[in-house]
Amino acid sequence: MKKEDMIVRDNREIAQDIYEMVLEGNLVGEVERPGEFLHINTSRHSVPLLRRPISICNTDKQKRQLTILYRAEGQGTRLLSTYSTNDTVDVLGPLGNGFPVGDVSSGETVLLVGGGIGVPPLYDLATVLREQGATVITVLGFSNKNVVFYENHFQKLGDVYVSTIDGSFGYSGFVTDVIDQKKLSFDRLFACGPVPMLRALEDKYPNVKGSLSLEERMGCGIGVCLACVCHTQNDPDGSDYRKVCSDGPVFPWGEVVL
Amino acid sequence: MSRVNIDLPGLSMKNPIMPASGCFGFGEEIGKLYDLNELGAIALKATTPQPRYGNETPRVAETASGMLNAIGLQNPGLEKVITEQLSRFDTIETPLLANIAGTTMEDYEEVAEALSKTGKIGALELNISCPNVKEGGIAFGTDPQLAAELTKRVKAVSNIPVYVKLSPNVTDITVIAKAVERAGADGLSLINTLSGMKMDRNTGKPLLANSVGGLSGPAIKPIAIRMIHEVRHQTELPIIGMGGVSTLDDILDFIIAGADAVAVGTANFINPFVCLELSQALEQSLERQQINHLYDIRPKEVHLR
């Protein structure tokens, strides 16, 4: 983990309020697995005060560059969207534990399911899984056609199915509807997206091999402040917990309460 | 003797900077980032007799130049703190300030007695000001008689100095400060967080699961400065000052206002290296200005100790 002023190489809107930012710096060399995240201080002043956790979408170690995708929605991410090329941004990272790609064998079929701004870490994941010889099927869910992104990127790595809740793009409905409709079969499932989506997947596939990545409000991002804790599933007295930032954000299927 | 070393009851500090309780855990995470020997002292996370899960999430909410937190004193409990957390400091010389909390006076006595017996703690800090637990805690911090009685009882079972961490959620903080001084406290920590609330516009309800949280960060610095200034003129006790400290100027302001040492809280969450950076910056700044000792920057009337 490093704290570094990274250089902005690109920052552009790729869908409605969805930005793609390319950052350059030495901490790129420390990224180990897809699913790790950066903790970004969007302001040099005290407003907003806290960093923003944003997952890494793609890394290019030779160029010392990585890509993040974020939705400009709150104060911090709206500010981040105003950064220009060659600006510097105060970054802590890489943080958290990524997807257990080492568990995946060559020839396995892996289903990746992403929802909204939970999609970005799956891109790096799909890339690595392909390099390892796995077959990748991706199901991406968005609310409507204006916020669909990276469909073409994923298409280069395997079959892609896109759904929108309002039916304005791709299949109509939720990601689980698409999986049913297309009768998708797979050996392993990796998912990242809103909690209701993750919960629907766990209910549908209680015993599948896989992992999911959580989003949570964070303070420090390194396990100190205990802001982002969650309960575990096999814990009758409710005293056990995991920290999303440092134990996660990727957890084994069925480990934490959603 | 260096320009920045200071000597407080139970805490012989190479510099006046320590992380504040609850903003550093038990040193596990930040201890991987830099040598904890560089710190003046370390205030540990609040310890209660039994393990506590704490409150449900959301536990933090951002505010203008600050944040609200309602963690709810999550900690592994007295036994595990002693067996699993304190050994981390066996090779570290930095003195420890153990923050203790509970819901009854007996809770405080139990934790105080057990921790002081370990021989690994420099001093205790009575947390009578946590705004995020429903019972105990804050009541001891707002009633001068209860605060004094608790101080007396903890002093009676402890063989190390006892600091009392004061709540700013009172009309006159000097009343509590004087009450615990008379009861035998060895020092004061101030201020804890201010009780606050943030609404969620989508639901119309408070954003934090606990509804109420403690406000910290740069937003509360002027209140901390005012309270330290008031207490400084009313008691002889050493003061560990805290509340929104994040820069070198903040540290100087707290020392001038009457703090004898300074704790850094929320700033650790934005920059985990901040305590280290501030201790280096302070020493360099005094050297550059050829000030022999940190306390020389204080006006004479503040120089009580």
Side-chain angles (χ1 to χ4, degrees), chain B residues 27-291:
Chain B
E28 183 182 358
E29 297 81 8
I30 294 181
K32 290 174 189 158
L33 303 182
Y34 62 83
D35 182 359
L36 299 182
N37 285 303
E38 297 299 318
L39 296 167
I42 298 170
L44 301 175
K45 183 151 177 59
T47 300
T48 53
Q50 298 302 318
R52 282 180 64 101
Y53 177 84
N55 297 319
E56 296 304 321
T57 56
R59 291 175 165 192
V60 295
E62 201 171 36
T63 63
S65 296
M67 66 177 271
L68 291 164
N69 88 79
I71 307 298
L73 296 180
Q74 180 166 3
N75 78 95
L78 178 61
E79 190 185 326
K80 281 194 175 173
V81 167
I82 292 174
T83 56
E84 295 175 10
Q85 303 295 333
L86 293 186
S87 57
R88 182 169 304 118
F89 301 98
D90 287 350
T91 55
I92 291 164
E93 290 176 6
T94 308
L96 301 178
L97 179 64
N99 186 289
I100 66 176
T103 53
T104 63
M105 294 214 187
E106 289 74 21
D107 285 350
Y108 285 87
E109 287 174 317
E110 183 185 343
V111 181
E113 187 172 7
L115 285 179
S116 69
K117 272 187 189 157
T118 63
K120 296 180 178 184
I121 306 293
L124 298 170
E125 184 179 54
L126 288 192
N127 187 348
I128 57 166
S129 45
C130 180
N132 299 328
V133 289
K134 296 271 184 292
E135 64 292 303
I138 192 83
F140 296 128
T142 52
D143 181 327
Q145 277 180 328
L146 283 177
E149 191 189 338
L150 182 66
T151 305
K152 237 179 236 166
R153 286 176 61 168
V154 169
K155 277 292 290 178
V157 297
S158 310
N159 55 18
I160 51 178
V162 175
Y163 291 69
V164 181
K165 187 163 181 176
L166 302 183
S167 171
N169 302 306
V170 292
T171 310
D172 184 352
I173 196 168
T174 65
V175 175
I176 309 265
K178 284 186 285 189
V180 300
E181 181 176 32
R182 280 194 299 271
D186 299 285
L188 301 170
S189 302
L190 61 150
I191 58 176
N192 207 320
T193 57
L194 288 127
S195 186
M197 186 182 280
K198 180 173 179 170
M199 302 307 293
D200 182 339
R201 280 188 296 274
N202 295 319
T203 63
K205 292 177 180 162
L207 194 149
L208 294 173
N210 188 54
S211 296
V212 173
L215 181 65
S216 65
I220 72 168
K221 180 186 160 188
I223 299 165
I225 293 282
R226 187 261 293 177
M227 290 186 163
I228 289 164
H229 189 262
E230 286 174 354
V231 170
R232 175 78 295 157
H233 287 85
Q234 295 281 329
T235 82
E236 300 285 322
L237 292 177
I239 294 172
I240 301 170
M242 67 199 76
V245 174
S246 50
T247 66
L248 176 59
D249 284 346
D250 293 337
I251 290 178
L252 301 176
D253 290 347
F254 274 70
I255 297 290
I256 291 169
D260 299 288
V262 178
V264 182
T266 303
N268 288 290
F269 300 156
I270 296 110
N271 176 7
F273 300 94
V274 69
C275 289
L276 178 67
E277 290 173 8
L278 287 175
S279 60
Q280 292 166 345
L282 177 65
E283 191 154 9
Q284 285 161 10
S285 165
L286 295 178
E287 194 178 329
R288 206 165 41 243
Q289 296 176 77
Q290 299 191 332
I291 295 169

Side-chain angles (χ1 to χ4, degrees), chain A:
Chain A
M1 189 271 277
K2 281 190 192 323
K3 179 174 173 290
E4 183 178 14
D5 283 338
M6 297 188 82
I7 301 163
V8 178
R9 290 304 182 201
D10 197 15
N11 190 23
R12 69 178 70 197
E13 192 175 16
I14 58 168
Q16 188 182 323
D17 294 330
I18 306 292
Y19 285 76
E20 179 184 66
M21 180 183 251
V22 178
L23 294 169
E24 186 175 304
N26 291 331
L27 71 74
V28 177
E30 296 193 8
V31 177
E32 286 180 12
R33 290 190 297 180
E36 295 169 6
F37 68 96
L38 303 181
H39 214 20
I40 299 180
N41 193 358
T42 58
S43 165
R44 301 279 173 183
H45 309 289
S46 60
V47 182
L49 185 68
L50 299 173
R51 290 174 183 270
R52 299 296 190 261
I54 297 176
S55 23
I56 298 166
C57 170
N58 193 23
T59 55
D60 184 334
K61 293 201 176 185
Q62 282 195 325
K63 284 184 169 170
R64 296 167 53 246
Q65 291 183 348
L66 56 77
T67 304
I68 56 170
L69 305 182
Y70 59 93
R71 182 167 58 215
E73 185 169 293
Q75 194 178 19
T77 44
R78 279 203 303 270
L79 197 57
L80 198 60
S81 73
T82 66
Y83 278 65
S84 307
T85 302
N86 295 330
D87 284 351
T88 58
V89 54
D90 169 16
V91 177
L92 199 63
L95 299 175
N97 297 296
F99 287 94
V101 287
D103 295 356
V104 181
S105 333
S106 176
E108 264 189 45
T109 298
V110 184
L111 180 67
L112 307 184
V113 182
I117 203 61
V119 167
L122 300 183
Y123 181 58
D124 211 5
L125 180 59
T127 309
V128 170
L129 292 175
R130 271 301 297 270
E131 284 167 8
Q132 291 185 196
T135 300
V136 175
I137 304 171
T138 308
V139 178
L140 305 177
F142 299 97
S143 55
N144 64 69
K145 70 173 188 328
N146 297 327
V147 292
V148 175
F149 60 88
Y150 264 45
E151 183 204 7
N152 297 334
H153 286 68
F154 281 96
Q155 265 166 359
K156 291 174 191 153
L157 301 165
D159 292 342
V160 180
Y161 304 89
V162 177
S163 70
T164 51
I165 294 169
D166 69 355
S168 57
F169 187 95
Y171 298 89
S172 183
F174 294 105
V175 288
T176 42
D177 299 329
V178 179
I179 298 169
D180 282 342
Q181 208 178 322
K182 303 310 286 186
K183 299 192 170 60
L184 298 177
S185 64
F186 49 89
D187 304 310
R188 198 180 292 268
L189 176 52
F190 290 138
C192 184
V195 166
M197 182 196 94
L198 299 175
R199 204 181 284 138
L201 288 167
E202 272 203 354
D203 289 347
K204 196 171 165 56
Y205 302 106
N207 300 313
V208 76
K209 282 189 289 186
S211 305
L212 51 83
S213 181
L214 293 181
E215 275 192 298
E216 184 55 271
R217 285 167 190 277
M218 287 182 192
C220 66
I222 60 171
V224 173
C225 74
L226 302 177
C228 65
V229 296
C230 57
H231 289 283
T232 57
Q233 291 194 9
N234 296 313
D235 174 34
D237 69 357
S239 63
D240 195 20
Y241 67 94
R242 296 288 182 275
K243 303 173 192 175
V244 174
C245 66
S246 58
D247 295 322
V250 176
F251 292 99
W253 207 254
E255 180 170 284
V256 297
V257 174
L258 296 172

